[in-house]
Amino acid sequence: MTAIYVRFDPLLDAAAADAMVRTVEGYGSYSTYGAESASEEAGQRRFAPGIAQRYDAASNFVRSGGRFGRREPAAVLAARTNYFRETYYYEKPRVAGIEPFLHHEGLIEGARRLHGRPLVVPSIVYANLLLPGQELAVHTDVPEFRGANRTALPQWLMVVMHHAGLFSAWRRPIATAIAYFNDCAGGELAFYPDGPGAPPATLPARHNTAVLMDTDSVFHGVDRVRGDDAVPPFRRGMQLAFEGGGRWRLVDGAETLAHYRWEQIRCSVSWKAYCYEDEADRRRTEQHEDDLDLGRILAMLEADLRERGRLSGERPGEEELARLLIDEYVRFPAPTAA
């Protein structure tokens, strides 16, 4: 069955769209997504700590060469996906003036249609910036369940939970909108509304447009941003900084590595909202009634693996089990010809 998605063209009036551009610029400096993931897990004892947060998507990207099956060294592929991210809203505003976008009625109504749940609570806004030569590996986003979110469990594990289909009763449905606030050459959004076995749909990155869908369920990625220059050898700690006059610079400490114009960068702003059946449903979640815990999650997954004939004898070690879970449940789209 084809997944529902809703397109917006235009998303905002001209003045509001221009204000969003100023918001992106005004944030100033953006860190790599890898740095954000590291800060999330600081001080936590994670299950299978040797498995990267998004090992599912990263390992598939290196193994397959991305949507078009390009063959490049692993270090080059890693640089292509080490994009920049910062959060504008998470439980409270982190930048001034984000509220009109956060509470956009068109996005809220689209979320109601998407999940068929009338109570929609916008909760997260963040920006992704990709440079020429970068792309985003095909993946599904990190879902949430009652008692299971990225503050408590590895991201790959929650992806496995959703694809396994065993935890629907605890799932927190999330609607995601991907909005664009500049024109970009390349960097199309590729997504699979008819499932990973069917051809993808693509949408260009055009200023003041958006698409809303269930990105926790629909595989999607970003095609390579066009550019002739080689992708710099990214390291954690690098930043992309706006320097005014429509120009950005890539910095590593005190060293400037490259300059970019706005039109060379793919900038998207993502909006996420929780969708509830009613206030009782919301209260059950927020008061942690009937939460899952790691022990219960692993027991249910292990039982399913044994029923499938994929596991016998003692439960393997954490990292071996993690790889088995990802391989068994997360079925990525196959690469296609460019």
Side-chain angles (χ1 to χ4, degrees):
M1 188 173 74
T2 299
I4 295 172
Y5 62 94
V6 184
R7 296 183 63 180
F8 299 84
D9 185 5
L11 174 64
L12 306 172
D13 63 50
D18 184 65
M20 285 299 296
V21 176
R22 305 289 84 79
T23 294
V24 175
E25 295 173 346
Y27 197 91
S29 185
Y30 293 76
S31 300
T32 59
Y33 179 59
E36 181 183 82
S37 296
S39 67
E40 286 179 353
E41 63 190 59
Q44 295 181 13
R45 165 47 174 103
R46 293 195 300 117
F47 176 76
I51 303 297
Q53 289 277 21
R54 289 311 307 267
Y55 176 85
D56 56 308
S59 61
N60 178 72
F61 183 65
V62 171
R63 182 172 59 249
S64 68
R67 186 163 86 88
F68 297 120
R70 297 183 175 102
R71 296 301 171 189
E72 294 179 303
V76 174
L77 291 170
R80 293 198 185 281
T81 60
N82 199 9
Y83 59 97
F84 297 85
R85 171 180 288 187
E86 293 294 346
T87 300
Y88 297 159
Y89 187 97
Y90 189 85
E91 297 181 346
K92 61 182 180 180
R94 298 185 181 182
V95 296
I98 198 62
E99 287 85 354
F101 179 75
L102 178 74
H103 298 293
H104 186 280
E105 185 55 41
L107 297 179
I108 292 172
E109 184 55 40
R112 293 189 183 108
R113 175 185 170 194
L114 183 67
H115 286 297
R117 297 187 173 208
L119 181 55
V120 174
V121 181
S123 301
I124 305 171
V125 178
Y126 59 88
N128 287 339
L129 284 79
L130 279 71
L131 302 179
Q134 290 197 298
E135 59 189 283
L136 188 55
V138 172
H139 65 291
T140 52
D141 284 358
V142 180
E144 290 192 21
F145 304 83
R146 293 198 302 278
N149 59 48
R150 65 177 67 210
T151 67
L153 297 176
Q155 295 178 22
W156 65 261
L157 179 56
M158 289 175 290
V159 172
V160 164
M161 290 170 64
H162 185 40
H163 286 279
L166 304 174
F167 303 92
S168 300
W170 293 271
R171 186 187 174 206
R172 301 182 67 184
I174 298 172
T176 300
I178 304 166
Y180 305 99
F181 293 104
N182 75 314
D183 292 327
C184 171
E188 295 86 358
L189 176 71
F191 62 105
Y192 294 78
D194 297 316
T202 58
L203 291 175
R206 290 196 297 108
H207 175 63
N208 200 22
T209 63
V211 60
L212 182 144
M213 69 180 81
D214 178 2
T215 53
D216 296 349
S217 303
V218 177
F219 280 97
H220 60 286
V222 175
D223 288 347
R224 192 169 296 181
V225 180
R226 293 179 197 166
D228 297 329
D229 297 335
V231 179
F234 289 106
R235 293 190 300 275
R236 187 174 291 176
M238 289 183 175
Q239 294 191 318
L240 182 64
F242 184 69
E243 59 182 9
R247 290 176 62 82
W248 296 77
R249 59 191 175 100
L250 178 66
V251 298
D252 184 9
E255 182 182 3
T256 297
L257 302 179
H259 288 87
Y260 301 96
R261 301 182 305 277
W262 246 123
E263 61 268 23
Q264 293 179 281
I265 291 175
R266 182 194 189 272
C267 173
S268 63
V269 178
S270 290
W271 174 97
K272 287 183 177 286
Y274 297 113
C275 302
Y276 301 99
E277 294 177 354
D278 49 32
E279 285 292 349
D281 183 27
R282 180 178 181 178
R283 185 169 55 253
R284 180 168 58 250
T285 299
E286 294 180 350
Q287 294 183 359
H288 302 286
E289 302 172 8
D290 190 28
D291 275 4
L292 291 165
D293 59 33
L294 178 60
R296 188 177 185 183
I297 291 165
L298 293 179
M300 291 175 67
L301 288 168
E302 180 181 351
D304 192 59
L305 287 175
R306 294 185 186 280
E307 186 175 335
R308 290 167 175 246
R310 297 284 283 119
L311 185 62
S312 61
E314 294 184 357
R315 179 190 291 182
E318 290 186 1
E319 293 183 14
E320 182 182 349
L321 178 60
R323 293 187 175 92
L324 174 59
L325 290 169
I326 292 167
D327 289 343
E328 178 65 19
Y329 294 112
V330 188
R331 302 295 184 179
F332 288 89
T336 59

